[in-house]
Amino acid sequence: MLEFESRRTTKDRIILKCKIEDVRYVRMLQAILNVDFIRKPRLHGRCWFINTRTNIIFHAYDDRGVDIVGNETHSLRPLYEQYKDWVLDYDR
């Protein structure tokens, strides 16, 4: 765990290297999406899922959407093809 000081608050950064089956990712995503609706569970802060095999980063920022980024087109193309109806026009 890394801790750093900002202007008024202390923030923690936690980096966990694990396998997907070790993470309760559905509950984590639910907690991210619940923040705006004041439901529990809630996750205050930001959470990124990084696949170190494909170099794809998944970041659900709230109930409106997600960012999926990568440094290789061939890794992202299957996602764009499978979920093309979900991709915003300016991201095509």
Side-chain angles (χ1 to χ4, degrees):
M1 179 168 44
L2 304 173
E3 190 173 298
F4 58 96
E5 186 75 28
S6 69
R7 288 186 197 164
R8 296 183 202 140
T9 62
T10 299
K11 298 185 180 193
D12 295 325
R13 178 175 293 164
I14 300 169
I15 301 170
L16 302 171
K17 187 171 182 175
C18 55
K19 294 180 181 178
I20 192 67
E21 58 267 15
D22 298 331
V23 178
R24 296 174 56 191
Y25 62 89
V26 172
R27 187 142 167 95
M28 290 177 71
L29 289 171
Q30 183 182 35
I32 293 166
L33 303 180
N34 282 343
V35 170
D36 288 341
F37 300 106
I38 312 171
R39 295 183 190 144
K40 291 184 181 179
R42 283 193 299 264
L43 177 72
H44 296 283
R46 297 183 181 152
C47 180
W48 290 269
F49 295 93
I50 303 169
N51 185 323
T52 57
R53 185 178 45 80
T54 62
N55 292 324
I56 291 178
I57 300 171
F58 176 90
H59 173 241
Y61 46 86
D62 62 21
D63 62 302
R64 295 170 292 171
V66 302
D67 293 320
I68 299 175
V69 296
N71 60 357
E72 299 289 337
T73 305
H74 69 273
S75 296
L76 292 170
R77 183 152 319 280
L79 294 172
Y80 273 77
E81 291 171 1
Q82 183 174 355
Y83 299 104
K84 62 185 172 203
D85 295 338
W86 298 3
V87 177
L88 299 174
D89 287 337
Y90 67 80
D91 287 332
R92 295 180 192 271

